[in-house]
Each structure stands twice: as C-alpha cells, then as structure tokens.
C-alpha cells in the first residue's frame, strides 16, 4: 500500500518539506490551510493533490493519508485542535519542531497522543541529516574517539526578523525556535543532561525580535560529560558561523571529531608524544540538510509505522529536549542552574541515555565518503 502525506499548514517551510519528500519518491495527496493564497500556491505546486481549508474537511472526505505533516506555527491555539482531531481519527503525525513554546504545552500534546495511542514524531530534521547519521555511527556504534567528555556547538548568525512578521514576537524566541536544532542532535548523542545553566538576552537594535535573540547553555551530565552550546541570532560581525556551517566538536578520550551538518568532517588524534603532530583524517559526507534531512525524517517515520514501532524523536522522547529548553529559560531568569527533574518531575529517567537508542532502529546506513 502506498504511503501518502497530507500537509497541515502550507507556509514556506511546508514547501521545503515537499522538496525533501519528492527526493524520496513520496506522495502528497492533500494540503490544508485556512489561507486561500496558501492553498493556491500549494495547488500550483501539487496540482494532483486535494486542497482543504481545515483538517475537519479532510477528515470528512474519503482520503486517508498515512501521515499528517503538521507545519503550522507552534502556538498552542493553532496546534492543539489539530492534535486533538488527529488523535480522535488515529492519524499519525509528524510535528514540526518545536512542539510548543513551553514544556507544559509539549506535555499536554504528548498526553493527548499517548491517551489515544496515536504515533507521533517531532520533525527535528537536523538530527536526521546524512551528516548526523554518520556522527551517531562514529560516536555511538564505532566509538571512534573513545568516551566523550566535552562538546561544544556554536551558531553565530544574524536572524533579522521583519518587524511585521510573527517570527521573533513570541515571549520566547531564539532558544525554543532555533537552538532546539542543536539540542535535538546533542540529545541523540548524550541523552538528557542532569542540569542546565543558561544566559539569554536580546540586542535592542534588532527591532524585529521582542525577546531572546541569543541563548548560551552549559549542560552537565551525570556521566561527567559537559557540553557548551553557544547560539546567537543577533550577530552581525565579521566572523559568522551560519546554519549549515554551525560547528560541533566532541572531545573524547581517544580523539576529537569536528563536525558540521554538511560537507567535511574531521577526526583528530594526538601523536605518540605530547609534542607530535595530531593524526587527522578528513571525510566528506555526501548529502545536505536541505532537502535530504526532510525526506529522511519522513522516511524514518514511515518505516517505523510499517514496523509497528515508535520512531526516533517520538513525542515522548522529545519531551526531554523541551525540558532542556524550559530549564534554560528558567535558569536565565533565576540566574542559577536548573535540573531536569525540576521540570519533568517523575517523568525524568536518569538512566535514559542517548536518544539515538530510543525508537525504531533501521538497518545501518553507510554514507559515501
């Protein structure tokens, strides 16, 4: 039986999703949006698909997609009715990240879906780039650099929002909307941290952003691993680090991996003497974030559904990512480290481990190098 997709929310990111789905040979059978202009753009792009003004219209029709691809804004008022209707109909969901503006919203969504046993995956697409799949294999399967003990990820860009656009106007912005990409990859590798220490703020000259334009996090893990996330969307200096160039290095007992979502990555080891040159190997991982990761995310969900297993980055798993975000905002406000049990209560599992091991495990992928 053919896998089919209905898109809910037909804004700019939905068109990006479609390009990734086409690369994987997936079929889009419907688009849903209250905006006539958005529906027109969709119909021009996918002329054979049906178009609806609401999810209720789709559910009254004979169409039954395999997955609802939800790309509406993540505000509770926009998302919750869709989640409730999908749960009642038993339609699996791919939810564009973040799940919500806060942990409470994400938990409400997770509980609705759990009560109805509706499968749902969060579209943390950076975690499904070909480069990220290579990274998990090197770190978690091959253990190429031994036991990691420190990591640092950095994004340094200027995301200058239009003052008239809804982007950047929520009471939370940079950390929940953008740093969430970093945190999803780090969750796959290290799992939930024990505590988060954060500072957030905004550049007053960035008039299109009303709240946090940067957020820097120090995360400490029960294992002793420490991770620093340096993330700013208000940097307009001479040394930017863009989205596709954002750099992560992970230092282990036997080496260092320098990683970016696309292109070249490197593995370095010390020489036999302290003064000897490092031994280095550079690898080019084929594939790009846009649009490979979008297609591979959906393919993973479809494969998990076919296997009758929860996917990676399932809604329950993604609660840990949302808890880190909530802890970061609370830490910045209170000027203190915040533990994840403060946010999650009894849901926090100190033995949870890397998110990579939670959910459907497809056959291993060996990227070209």
């Amino acid at each position: 039986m053919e896998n089919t997709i209905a898109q809910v929310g037909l804004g700019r990111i939905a068109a990006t999703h479609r390009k990734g789905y086409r690369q994987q040979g997936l079929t889009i059978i419907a688009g849903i949006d209250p905006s006539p202009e958005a529906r027109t753009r969709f119909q021009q792009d996918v002329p054979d698909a049906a178009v609806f003004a609401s999810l209720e219209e789709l559910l009254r029709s004979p169409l039954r997609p395999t997955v609802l691809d939800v790309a509406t804004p993540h505000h509770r008022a926009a998302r919750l009715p869709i989640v409730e209707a999908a749960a009642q109909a038993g339609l699996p969901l791919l939810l564009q990240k973040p799940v919500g503006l806060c942990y409470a919203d994400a938990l409400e969504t997770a509980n609705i879906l759990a009560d109805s046993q509706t499968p749902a995956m969060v579209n943390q697409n950076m975690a499904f780039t070909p480069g990220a799949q290579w990274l998990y294999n090197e770190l978690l399967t091959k253990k190429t650099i031994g036991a990691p003990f420190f990591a640092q990820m950095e994004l340094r860009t200027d995301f200058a929002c239009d003052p008239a656009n809804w982007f950047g106007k929520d009471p939370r912005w940079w950390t929940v909307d953008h740093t969430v990409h970093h945190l999803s990859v780090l969750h796959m590798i290290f799992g939930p941290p024990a505590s988060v220490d954060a500072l957030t703020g905004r550049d007053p000259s960035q008039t299109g952003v009303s709240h946090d334009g940067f957020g820097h996090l120090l995360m400490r893990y029960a294992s002793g691993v420490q991770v620093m996330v340096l993330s700013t969307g208000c940097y307009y200096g001479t040394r930017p680090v863009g989205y596709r160039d954002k750099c992560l290095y992970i230092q282990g007992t036997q080496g260092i991996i320098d990683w970016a979502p696309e292109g070249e990555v490197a593995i370095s080891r010390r020489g036999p003497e302290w003064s000897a040159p490092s031994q280095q190997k550079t690898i080019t991982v084929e594939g790009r974030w846009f649009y490979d990761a979008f297609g591979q995310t959906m393919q993973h969900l479809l494969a998990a559904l076919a296997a009758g297993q929860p996917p990676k980055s399932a809604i329950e798993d993604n609660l840990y990512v949302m808890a880190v975000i909530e802890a970061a905002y609370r830490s910045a406000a209170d000027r203190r480290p915040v533990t994840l049990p403060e946010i999650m209560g009894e849901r926090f599992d100190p033995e949870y481990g890397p998110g990579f091991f939670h959910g459907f495990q497809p056959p291993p992928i060996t990227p070209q190098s």
Side-chain angles (χ1 to χ4, degrees), residues 30-31 38 70-71 94 110 113 119 121 125 177 186 198 204 220 243 255 268 271 273 289 309 320 325 337:
V70 180
L94 180 64
L113 295 169
M121 178 180 179
N125 45 76
D177 279 82
L186 293 170
R220 292 184 170 91
Y243 264 95
S268 304
E273 303 293 338
W289 187 350
Q309 297 180 27
Y320 282 103
I325 291 168

Side-chain angles (χ1 to χ4, degrees), residues 111-194:
N111 287 339
I112 291 169
L113 295 169
D115 289 345
S116 63
Q117 298 184 325
T118 303
M121 178 180 179
V122 181
N123 190 356
Q124 296 280 184
N125 45 76
M126 181 181 167
F128 287 84
T129 58
Q133 303 305 308
W134 175 90
L135 182 63
Y136 308 145
N137 187 48
E138 292 295 320
L139 284 173
L140 301 172
T141 305
K142 297 169 66 175
K143 302 185 185 301
T144 302
I145 62 168
F149 58 86
F150 178 75
Q152 177 176 302
M153 181 175 275
E154 184 168 7
L155 170 66
R156 194 162 64 233
T157 189
D158 187 21
F159 199 107
C161 299
D162 184 336
N165 195 292
W166 71 269
F167 281 169
K169 311 308 182 294
D170 292 323
R172 294 177 171 184
W173 167 237
W174 189 254
T175 301
V176 70
D177 279 82
H178 297 275
T179 306
V180 64
H181 281 301
H182 311 13
L183 299 177
S184 68
V185 172
L186 293 170
H187 173 71
M188 286 283 193
I189 298 167
F190 299 112

Side-chain angles (χ1 to χ4, degrees), residues 250-267:
I250 302 172
Q251 191 157 2
T253 53
Q254 298 173 24
I256 291 174
I257 288 180
D258 283 294
W259 180 86
E262 298 180 2
E264 288 190 348
V265 295
I267 301 171

Side-chain angles (χ1 to χ4, degrees), residues 187-264:
H187 173 71
M188 286 283 193
I189 298 167
F190 299 112
S195 68
V196 179
D197 203 351
L199 60 88
T200 66
R202 66 178 292 268
D203 178 354
S205 71
Q206 198 175 47
T207 57
V209 174
S210 58
H211 204 272
D212 53 314
F214 63 85
H216 308 311
L217 285 64
L218 172 60
M219 299 187 292
R220 292 184 170 91
Y221 294 75
S223 64
V225 172
Q226 299 180 93
V227 176
M228 178 66 75
V229 178
L230 303 170
S231 182
T232 179
C234 55
Y235 176 83
Y236 52 92
T238 61
R239 297 181 181 179
V241 180
Y243 264 95
R244 300 183 187 191
D245 303 317
K246 64 178 68 175
C247 51
L248 166 67
Y249 82 84
I250 302 172
Q251 191 157 2
T253 53
Q254 298 173 24
I256 291 174
I257 288 180
D258 283 294
W259 180 86
E262 298 180 2
E264 288 190 348

Side-chain angles (χ1 to χ4, degrees), residues 8 57 61 211 235:
V8 188
E57 288 184 11
S61 80
H211 204 272
Y235 176 83

